[in-house]
Amino acid sequence: MLYAELDKYINSVKDQPGVLINVLHRAQELFGYLSEETQQYVAEKLNLPLSQVYGVVTFYNFFSTKPKGKHQVKVCLGTACYVKGADRVLERLKEELGVELDEPTKDGNFSIHAVRCLGACSMAPVVLVGERDFYGKVTPDEVSKIINKYKEE
């Protein structure tokens, strides 16, 4: 079903020059990440070498070759956040969820990601859940409360 959806998109754009990045974005939207199988599929459909597809996927940091959790928890490790204890917040998140960086939890609900800056230095340390739920001045003791909010969803 998802490959049929991807085919539909590819067929609508394949005659345009430079469509690889757009096709990869669409594939990642559909599958959540770009597996080797998906990369191979895109390469065949666009008549490109797999090495070219892989090169693009690994060059741009917005593409992921690993599955991510439903709730992506991003911890800022920029200078202001780090100085104010973001490393301790990150460690507590890893303990609470039982995963390492960039790995989804067994149930697929969460994954933890370190980022360099979320543009909220005055609120350091900062945690972002999803794309819009900011938490500022986070302490390790607040991690459980934040995680529990999303476990209930």
Side-chain angles (χ1 to χ4, degrees):
M1 179 69 174
L2 294 177
Y3 280 107
E5 184 99 11
L6 183 57
D7 278 344
K8 184 177 177 184
Y9 180 75
I10 290 172
N11 289 332
S12 74
V13 299
K14 72 177 178 184
D15 294 329
Q16 301 170 16
V19 298
L20 178 57
I21 289 177
N22 290 336
V23 169
L24 290 171
H25 273 296
R26 183 66 182 133
Q28 185 163 283
E29 276 177 21
L30 291 168
F31 296 98
Y33 70 107
L34 298 170
S35 67
E36 284 183 42
E37 177 184 329
T38 303
Q39 292 177 56
Q40 179 70 42
Y41 188 84
V42 167
E44 289 172 9
K45 289 293 180 174
L46 294 178
N47 199 26
L48 296 171
L50 178 58
S51 60
Q52 183 178 350
V53 173
Y54 179 78
V56 169
V57 168
T58 56
F59 181 79
Y60 292 105
N61 66 2
F62 46 79
F63 291 127
S64 176
T65 58
K66 295 180 182 178
K68 294 182 179 181
K70 175 182 173 188
H71 301 289
Q72 295 172 36
V73 182
K74 297 173 183 132
V75 180
C76 179
L77 294 180
T79 304
C81 288
Y82 192 86
V83 167
K84 293 195 174 187
D87 58 328
R88 293 188 307 276
V89 171
L90 179 61
E91 286 307 311
R92 182 67 63 89
L93 274 163
K94 288 163 54 174
E95 287 171 21
E96 289 274 331
L97 296 174
V99 294
E100 291 299 318
L101 283 177
D102 302 321
E103 290 180 0
T105 54
K106 285 184 170 73
D107 62 8
N109 273 339
F110 296 95
S111 56
I112 307 167
H113 309 277
V115 296
R116 291 291 154 219
C117 186
L118 291 171
C121 301
S122 65
M123 297 173 22
V126 177
V127 171
L128 173 64
V129 180
E131 296 299 319
R132 55 186 156 84
D133 293 343
F134 269 93
Y135 297 90
K137 300 185 179 181
V138 177
T139 65
D141 293 338
E142 294 172 302
V143 166
S144 290
K145 182 179 175 187
I146 293 170
I147 294 301
N148 286 337
K149 177 180 175 185
Y150 298 92
K151 282 183 178 176
E152 295 168 5
E153 288 183 2

